[in-house]
Amino acid sequence: MRRLWCLLALLPALVLGKPDLSQRIGPTLADTGSAYYRFEHFDLDSADGKRHYRVHLGIPKREAPPRGYPALYLLDGNAVLAALREEWLADVDQHGPPLLVMIGYASDLRFDSDARTYDFTPSPHPDVPLFEDDQRRRSAGGAEQFRALIESRIKPEVARLLPVDRERQGLWGHSYGGAFVLDTLFNTPRSFQRYVAVSPSLWWQSGLLLEVEKRLPGDADARLAILRGSEEARPRAASEMPSARAKAMAAVPAEAAREMAERLGGYPHLRVVYREFSGLGHGPMLSAAILPALRLFIEE
């Protein structure tokens, strides 16, 4: 694993901060071209017609292995596509490059705040309407439905378009997306073989995932990386957050992610790594965690 983290030196310097949810995608490698990957996309809607997805495919130019491409599914696909760098793709090209399935939304923005809030967050009672907090009032708690959409519609469409190795699939997510990654591992651990939870929002619903964790069966067999910025442990002023969020955050220990990794590391068939990125806060972790995830994904 040491080689994995040494590659962080390739990343540009990053600063503390939150993601700019109003930032547009702008030109990407899909527009300028890559020597190692080609890009396509397809669109689909949620079952209720309220959310509109754009799935960007980063397809290796190398011929697929006999069993098909390994596939890495990345949430916040618009933001991931905008962050991709040619030097990262050049690196993985030498080691059996994965197919990149970047699940985003049909928008020119990097983030669709309303849609991702609903899709990525689990609910303690899936049949009861849930909102993000008292101020934003965004609908939340749709993780179970979103997981069903990935399994029943997105995965089959990807497999129809390209040869995929179903025994080498990974799921990556940041923030609420990181919470979704863990929720998927705990509820349906066989959906993927590799999981990368970046800066997971363990405070959601005052630590709901700490309870959902108990659903993970003892024979779960997967690789998991929990990645976090060292500056994320700094408490934010309560005035910067809705009161409900401040209360939820206060209910979860600052070291909850590390402690979770330690507990999960005790499972006999789970291979778990926990890593803090020195000097980074919550927002910059999205870009910082892409290359390590690619490297983790291709290493056996």
Side-chain angles (χ1 to χ4, degrees):
M1 297 301 295
R2 185 179 303 170
R3 181 162 62 94
L4 169 65
W5 306 119
C6 289
L7 289 168
L8 292 176
L10 299 175
L11 295 168
L14 295 165
V15 295
L16 304 180
K18 298 182 294 182
D20 181 355
L21 299 182
S22 66
Q23 191 174 9
R24 299 190 181 279
I25 299 174
T28 70
L29 287 176
D31 303 306
T32 59
S34 165
Y36 308 99
Y37 275 70
R38 61 184 177 89
F39 296 87
E40 299 177 0
H41 74 266
F42 63 86
D43 294 349
L44 70 159
D45 297 329
S46 61
D48 60 10
K50 293 182 179 180
R51 289 164 302 286
H52 313 286
Y53 303 96
R54 178 155 295 154
V55 180
H56 297 275
L57 301 175
I59 306 165
K61 290 186 177 180
R62 289 187 180 271
E63 185 176 354
R67 294 175 60 101
Y69 291 115
L72 178 58
Y73 288 72
L74 301 109
L75 308 182
D76 284 321
N78 295 14
V80 170
L81 178 61
L84 276 184
R85 298 291 178 264
E86 179 75 344
E87 57 265 31
W88 303 350
L89 302 184
D91 183 84
V92 298
D93 179 69
Q94 303 301 315
H95 307 282
L99 169 66
L100 306 180
V101 183
M102 297 166 277
I103 305 174
Y105 298 95
S107 166
D108 63 352
L109 296 177
R110 297 192 181 197
F111 301 94
D112 184 327
S113 300
D114 291 345
R116 74 187 297 273
T117 296
Y118 182 79
D119 282 337
F120 299 169
T121 54
S123 172
H125 308 288
D127 297 328
V128 179
L130 180 66
F131 296 98
E132 182 180 19
D133 54 53
D134 294 338
Q135 291 186 356
R136 291 188 177 91
R137 301 292 291 175
R138 292 175 181 145
S139 294
E144 187 174 319
Q145 296 94 315
F146 183 54
R147 190 156 40 246
L149 180 136
I150 292 174
E151 292 295 329
S152 66
R153 298 181 63 192
I154 294 180
K155 279 187 176 181
E157 179 63 11
V158 172
R160 186 186 71 83
L161 294 170
L162 297 156
V164 174
D165 184 348
R166 300 190 181 190
E167 298 303 316
R168 294 187 65 202
Q169 298 187 94
L171 181 64
W172 178 102
H174 169 263
S175 192
Y176 279 168
F180 179 84
V181 168
L182 292 172
D183 188 57
T184 299
L185 171 64
F186 300 152
N187 282 289
T188 59
R190 292 180 176 83
S191 295
F192 299 89
Q193 292 74 46
R194 290 166 170 80
Y195 294 83
V196 184
V198 184
S199 306
S201 299
L202 295 182
W203 56 266
W204 175 251
Q205 292 292 294
S206 300
L208 173 63
L209 283 171
L210 302 182
E211 291 301 313
V212 178
E213 177 190 338
K214 297 174 184 177
R215 300 176 188 170
L216 184 66
D219 62 351
D221 186 355
R223 296 182 67 173
L224 168 66
I226 299 178
L227 312 180
R228 189 167 180 257
S230 65
E231 299 304 308
E232 295 190 65
R234 286 187 180 182
R236 291 169 57 192
S239 60
E240 297 178 17
M241 297 177 286
S243 59
R245 179 173 298 195
K247 186 180 296 185
M249 287 184 169
V252 176
E255 296 301 319
R258 179 183 56 77
E259 292 168 356
M260 175 179 284
E262 291 176 354
R263 288 193 301 273
L264 296 176
Y267 282 67
H269 304 293
L270 276 184
R271 288 162 288 175
V272 181
V273 61
Y274 174 80
R275 174 72 178 187
E276 286 196 0
F277 290 56
S278 179
L280 294 190
H282 190 75
M285 279 300 300
L286 186 149
S287 295
I290 295 174
L291 176 59
L294 293 174
R295 293 297 306 155
L296 178 70
F297 189 76
I298 63 177
E299 287 192 357
E300 294 299 335

